[in-house]
Every structure is written in structure tokens, then in C-alpha cells.
Amino acid sequence: MTVKTTAQPGPQVPGPGAPHPRALARQRRRASAARFWRQYRTHRAGVLGLVVLVLCVLVALTAPLTVGADAQSVTGAPGGPLESPSARFPLGTDRFGRDLLGLVIWGSRVSLLVGLLAAVLSVAIGTLIGITAGHFRGWYATVMMRITDWFLVMPTLVLAIALATVLSRSLGTVVLAIGVTTWPTTARLVRAQTLAVEARPYIERARALGGGHWHVMSRHVLPNVMPLVLAQTTLIISSAILAEATLAFLGLGDPTVVSWGGLLQDAREAGAVSSGAWWYLVPPGVAIAVVALAFTLCGRAVESVLNPRLGVSR
């Protein structure tokens, strides 16, 4: 009796003309990025916010070349205290005689950096807690969600002020104070998205094929929640910049660096309101409002592109 054996199919080897899997993955990422940009640029408000942010970043990066580091020096101030705007000083001078235009440009570096780092820290904490709470569930999810609820009901600014008061006054303290107090919203959103992703059939197939917890969370859940994380990051940066300005205005920032909130705090100490030195208050305040609004417009546009069901107006 003859026994027929069927050959088992071996691993698929791409032919000479077939694209390499990595090249194919790069091609798909480029196509996805191009598709995202085509949809993003249809949002006029989002494009306007992006243009404003690009200009602000360029101004901040070129500050050492345009205004120089001497603009922060108190000893070599070129003007008199609280001079009103003029041809020499377009935005006037501060209480030490320094050019406010140069100070606002230098302050953009600190405010943008602190806002970005604080937002990244906040989103990282929220994403980690949200994914793990949505994946493991049980007592771990219960404990994490109760901690999240506690942070949600507590005033964020009060917690940030408490942390900034206890720790040393530095930029790292400000970033830490903002990051560890603004993550609960991200954790809630990411957990809800994680529960929705893990209810799909391919997650069950991945587990049946031997995929462990780390494999499921890193290879299946995280890529699906990244669009939400990206949109949340752009929205949180504006809140982080406002929080940094608030802490600096209250005197809890780093006194050795120039930031927009620090300029407002200096104006308050110099009595700019009572003396009528409006030029001391308006430029840093307008800069904070414009950058925060630009990040918000970009965040809403990104959220609308990644989730068209939101129906955000263009």
C-alpha cells in the first residue's frame, strides 16, 4: 500500500521583483502620512494654527542669533526702567531696562519646552495606566481607576502648586508638577479605546496563537490607540503652557530663566498695573494666548482627521 504525502508549504520568500516587507511597510507609512496631510489641510483653522506654531518654533530656535543672550542680562540693560514702546524698543522695556521684545523671544524657548515636556510626561503616564487597566482588568483596573478618579476630582492647579512648593524651584519641578497632575483624562480615554480594541476577534486569535500580555499590548493595542494619544498630546500642550505660566506668575517657577509667565510675575512685582505700564503685561500675555490657541486648533484638526465622526467644524 502506498502512502501519499502532501508537501507542507514552506515560508513565503519574496521573488526577485517583489518588494521587501520593510520597504512595503515604509511605503504604507508614507501613504498614510500623505493621506493624513491631505485631510488635515482641508481644516483651515488647523492649518492656521500649524503656521503660527511653526513661526513660534522658528523664532524660539533662532533666538540666540536674532536677539542674543545679552537680552537677558540685567547688568547690561540698554534702556531705562519701564520705557514705553518706541522705535528703539518696539515693545518697551522692563523694570531693569531690558528690551521686552528680546525677553518675549527668549521666553518662548522656555515656555514651549516646558509645555512640550510636561505634555509628553502627562500623556505617557495616562497611556501606560490606560492600556494596562484596560488589558488586565480585575483588581488592578479597579485600583488604577479609583486613583484616576481621585486625581480627576482634585483641582489640578492646587496639586501642581503643592508639588512645586515642596520641591526645588526649577524647570524640572514645573514639568513634573504639570505632568503628574494632568494625566487622568488621557488614562480614561485610552482605557476606553483599549477595551474596544481588545473586544475585536483578532486579539483573541493572537492570544490563541501564544501571544502574551506584552505582545498584545505593544503590537495590537498600542498602534490602535496612538492616533488618540497624538490628538490628546496636541490638546494637552496648550494646557501645559498655561499651567507653566500660572506657576511662574505665582513665583513657583525657576527664577534664573526667562519665561512668559515669569515676565508677568515680574510685571506684577514692578507694579505695572498701578503705574500704567501696559506694555509690560500685554506682550507675554498675548504670546501665551496665541500659542495656546494655536495648539488647540491643531489638536482639534488632528482629532477630526483621526476620528471623522466627531464632526469638528472646519
mmCIF file of all heavy atoms in Angstrom, residues 51-76:
data_model
loop_
_atom_site.group_PDB
_atom_site.id
_atom_site.type_symbol
_atom_site.label_atom_id
_atom_site.label_comp_id
_atom_site.label_asym_id
_atom_site.label_seq_id
_atom_site.Cartn_x
_atom_site.Cartn_y
_atom_site.Cartn_z
ATOM 1 N N VAL A 51 0.669 76.988 11.094
ATOM 2 C CA VAL A 51 1.551 78.062 10.617
ATOM 3 C C VAL A 51 2.057 78.901 11.789
ATOM 4 O O VAL A 51 3.242 79.242 11.872
ATOM 5 C CB VAL A 51 0.811 78.929 9.586
ATOM 6 C CG1 VAL A 51 1.626 80.175 9.252
ATOM 7 C CG2 VAL A 51 0.530 78.135 8.318
ATOM 8 N N VAL A 52 1.154 79.235 12.710
ATOM 9 C CA VAL A 52 1.550 80.025 13.882
ATOM 10 C C VAL A 52 2.577 79.267 14.716
ATOM 11 O O VAL A 52 3.573 79.839 15.179
ATOM 12 C CB VAL A 52 0.315 80.392 14.720
ATOM 13 C CG1 VAL A 52 0.728 81.036 16.041
ATOM 14 C CG2 VAL A 52 -0.590 81.334 13.941
ATOM 15 N N LEU A 53 2.363 77.970 14.911
ATOM 16 C CA LEU A 53 3.293 77.176 15.713
ATOM 17 C C LEU A 53 4.654 77.071 15.041
ATOM 18 O O LEU A 53 5.693 77.153 15.714
ATOM 19 C CB LEU A 53 2.720 75.776 15.948
ATOM 20 C CG LEU A 53 1.525 75.684 16.889
ATOM 21 C CD1 LEU A 53 1.091 74.242 17.054
ATOM 22 C CD2 LEU A 53 1.861 76.282 18.244
ATOM 23 N N VAL A 54 4.679 76.887 13.724
ATOM 24 C CA VAL A 54 5.958 76.812 13.011
ATOM 25 C C VAL A 54 6.722 78.121 13.154
ATOM 26 O O VAL A 54 7.945 78.131 13.398
ATOM 27 C CB VAL A 54 5.718 76.464 11.527
ATOM 28 C CG1 VAL A 54 7.005 76.608 10.724
ATOM 29 C CG2 VAL A 54 5.190 75.042 11.396
ATOM 30 N N LEU A 55 6.024 79.243 13.037
ATOM 31 C CA LEU A 55 6.680 80.539 13.205
ATOM 32 C C LEU A 55 7.221 80.708 14.623
ATOM 33 O O LEU A 55 8.343 81.200 14.819
ATOM 34 C CB LEU A 55 5.699 81.668 12.866
ATOM 35 C CG LEU A 55 5.281 81.783 11.398
ATOM 36 C CD1 LEU A 55 4.246 82.888 11.226
ATOM 37 C CD2 LEU A 55 6.491 82.049 10.507
ATOM 38 N N CYS A 56 6.429 80.307 15.617
ATOM 39 C CA CYS A 56 6.879 80.422 17.015
ATOM 40 C C CYS A 56 8.102 79.550 17.277
ATOM 41 O O CYS A 56 9.038 79.976 17.967
ATOM 42 C CB CYS A 56 5.740 80.040 17.959
ATOM 43 S SG CYS A 56 4.374 81.219 17.999
ATOM 44 N N VAL A 57 8.104 78.349 16.733
ATOM 45 C CA VAL A 57 9.253 77.457 16.925
ATOM 46 C C VAL A 57 10.492 78.020 16.254
ATOM 47 O O VAL A 57 11.600 77.986 16.817
ATOM 48 C CB VAL A 57 8.920 76.050 16.394
ATOM 49 C CG1 VAL A 57 10.168 75.180 16.376
ATOM 50 C CG2 VAL A 57 7.851 75.403 17.253
ATOM 51 N N LEU A 58 10.327 78.568 15.048
ATOM 52 C CA LEU A 58 11.475 79.168 14.361
ATOM 53 C C LEU A 58 12.017 80.367 15.132
ATOM 54 O O LEU A 58 13.244 80.542 15.249
ATOM 55 C CB LEU A 58 11.065 79.590 12.941
ATOM 56 C CG LEU A 58 10.792 78.459 11.949
ATOM 57 C CD1 LEU A 58 10.332 79.015 10.614
ATOM 58 C CD2 LEU A 58 12.029 77.598 11.760
ATOM 59 N N VAL A 59 11.124 81.187 15.656
ATOM 60 C CA VAL A 59 11.558 82.342 16.450
ATOM 61 C C VAL A 59 12.304 81.876 17.697
ATOM 62 O O VAL A 59 13.334 82.443 18.071
ATOM 63 C CB VAL A 59 10.350 83.210 16.823
ATOM 64 C CG1 VAL A 59 10.724 84.241 17.887
ATOM 65 C CG2 VAL A 59 9.813 83.932 15.595
ATOM 66 N N ALA A 60 11.803 80.828 18.352
ATOM 67 C CA ALA A 60 12.452 80.332 19.566
ATOM 68 C C ALA A 60 13.821 79.724 19.265
ATOM 69 O O ALA A 60 14.781 79.943 20.004
ATOM 70 C CB ALA A 60 11.553 79.296 20.241
ATOM 71 N N LEU A 61 13.923 78.978 18.168
ATOM 72 C CA LEU A 61 15.192 78.327 17.841
ATOM 73 C C LEU A 61 16.253 79.329 17.413
ATOM 74 O O LEU A 61 17.455 79.104 17.648
ATOM 75 C CB LEU A 61 14.978 77.288 16.741
ATOM 76 C CG LEU A 61 14.137 76.063 17.121
ATOM 77 C CD1 LEU A 61 13.954 75.147 15.913
ATOM 78 C CD2 LEU A 61 14.781 75.291 18.273
ATOM 79 N N THR A 62 15.843 80.396 16.770
ATOM 80 C CA THR A 62 16.805 81.385 16.274
ATOM 81 C C THR A 62 17.037 82.530 17.255
ATOM 82 O O THR A 62 17.672 83.519 16.887
ATOM 83 C CB THR A 62 16.325 81.954 14.931
ATOM 84 O OG1 THR A 62 15.016 82.540 15.102
ATOM 85 C CG2 THR A 62 16.241 80.866 13.873
ATOM 86 N N ALA A 63 16.540 82.419 18.482
ATOM 87 C CA ALA A 63 16.707 83.500 19.460
ATOM 88 C C ALA A 63 18.168 83.853 19.716
ATOM 89 O O ALA A 63 18.511 85.037 19.794
ATOM 90 C CB ALA A 63 16.001 83.131 20.765
ATOM 91 N N PRO A 64 19.082 82.870 19.858
ATOM 92 C CA PRO A 64 20.491 83.258 20.078
ATOM 93 C C PRO A 64 21.082 84.069 18.936
ATOM 94 O O PRO A 64 22.018 84.849 19.151
ATOM 95 C CB PRO A 64 21.197 81.908 20.224
ATOM 96 C CG PRO A 64 20.133 80.951 20.647
ATOM 97 C CD PRO A 64 18.903 81.417 19.944
ATOM 98 N N LEU A 65 20.559 83.911 17.718
ATOM 99 C CA LEU A 65 21.086 84.641 16.578
ATOM 100 C C LEU A 65 20.397 85.986 16.381
ATOM 101 O O LEU A 65 21.031 86.952 15.949
ATOM 102 C CB LEU A 65 20.928 83.800 15.293
ATOM 103 C CG LEU A 65 21.618 82.431 15.293
ATOM 104 C CD1 LEU A 65 21.312 81.695 13.999
ATOM 105 C CD2 LEU A 65 23.120 82.581 15.479
ATOM 106 N N THR A 66 19.106 86.061 16.691
ATOM 107 C CA THR A 66 18.348 87.289 16.434
ATOM 108 C C THR A 66 18.481 88.322 17.544
ATOM 109 O O THR A 66 18.631 89.515 17.270
ATOM 110 C CB THR A 66 16.872 86.949 16.209
ATOM 111 O OG1 THR A 66 16.375 86.205 17.348
ATOM 112 C CG2 THR A 66 16.686 86.104 14.951
ATOM 113 N N VAL A 67 18.397 87.892 18.784
ATOM 114 C CA VAL A 67 18.453 88.851 19.892
ATOM 115 C C VAL A 67 19.688 88.680 20.762
ATOM 116 O O VAL A 67 20.087 89.611 21.461
ATOM 117 C CB VAL A 67 17.185 88.749 20.777
ATOM 118 C CG1 VAL A 67 15.958 89.103 19.971
ATOM 119 C CG2 VAL A 67 17.040 87.358 21.376
ATOM 120 N N GLY A 68 20.293 87.497 20.753
ATOM 121 C CA GLY A 68 21.495 87.271 21.539
ATOM 122 C C GLY A 68 21.203 87.003 23.003
ATOM 123 O O GLY A 68 20.151 87.372 23.533
ATOM 124 N N ALA A 69 22.156 86.362 23.656
ATOM 125 C CA ALA A 69 21.979 86.021 25.070
ATOM 126 C C ALA A 69 22.037 87.244 25.972
ATOM 127 O O ALA A 69 21.577 87.205 27.116
ATOM 128 C CB ALA A 69 23.036 85.009 25.501
ATOM 129 N N ASP A 70 22.603 88.375 25.500
ATOM 130 C CA ASP A 70 22.709 89.575 26.331
ATOM 131 C C ASP A 70 21.350 90.196 26.620
ATOM 132 O O ASP A 70 21.250 91.049 27.508
ATOM 133 C CB ASP A 70 23.601 90.613 25.639
ATOM 134 C CG ASP A 70 25.045 90.135 25.509
ATOM 135 O OD1 ASP A 70 25.427 89.249 26.300
ATOM 136 O OD2 ASP A 70 25.763 90.638 24.620
ATOM 137 N N ALA A 71 20.317 89.789 25.867
ATOM 138 C CA ALA A 71 18.989 90.360 26.111
ATOM 139 C C ALA A 71 18.468 90.007 27.485
ATOM 140 O O ALA A 71 17.605 90.718 28.027
ATOM 141 C CB ALA A 71 18.018 89.872 25.038
ATOM 142 N N GLN A 72 18.965 88.924 28.106
ATOM 143 C CA GLN A 72 18.513 88.533 29.436
ATOM 144 C C GLN A 72 19.323 89.170 30.554
ATOM 145 O O GLN A 72 18.943 89.068 31.719
ATOM 146 C CB GLN A 72 18.597 87.008 29.574
ATOM 147 C CG GLN A 72 17.853 86.242 28.503
ATOM 148 C CD GLN A 72 18.041 84.751 28.642
ATOM 149 O OE1 GLN A 72 17.357 84.091 29.426
ATOM 150 N NE2 GLN A 72 18.981 84.205 27.899
ATOM 151 N N SER A 73 20.436 89.797 30.219
ATOM 152 C CA SER A 73 21.326 90.342 31.236
ATOM 153 C C SER A 73 20.713 91.573 31.906
ATOM 154 O O SER A 73 20.191 92.466 31.227
ATOM 155 C CB SER A 73 22.674 90.708 30.615
ATOM 156 O OG SER A 73 23.525 91.319 31.560
ATOM 157 N N VAL A 74 20.802 91.598 33.228
ATOM 158 C CA VAL A 74 20.277 92.740 33.986
ATOM 159 C C VAL A 74 21.315 93.857 34.057
ATOM 160 O O VAL A 74 20.970 95.042 34.020
ATOM 161 C CB VAL A 74 19.863 92.288 35.404
ATOM 162 C CG1 VAL A 74 19.382 93.472 36.235
ATOM 163 C CG2 VAL A 74 18.777 91.240 35.320
ATOM 164 N N THR A 75 22.574 93.485 34.130
ATOM 165 C CA THR A 75 23.628 94.484 34.304
ATOM 166 C C THR A 75 23.862 95.309 33.039
ATOM 167 O O THR A 75 24.157 96.496 33.110
ATOM 168 C CB THR A 75 24.940 93.800 34.716
ATOM 169 O OG1 THR A 75 25.290 92.816 33.726
ATOM 170 C CG2 THR A 75 24.771 93.117 36.072
ATOM 171 N N GLY A 76 23.710 94.687 31.881
ATOM 172 C CA GLY A 76 23.975 95.409 30.634
ATOM 173 C C GLY A 76 22.712 95.848 29.931
ATOM 174 O O GLY A 76 22.655 95.819 28.699
#
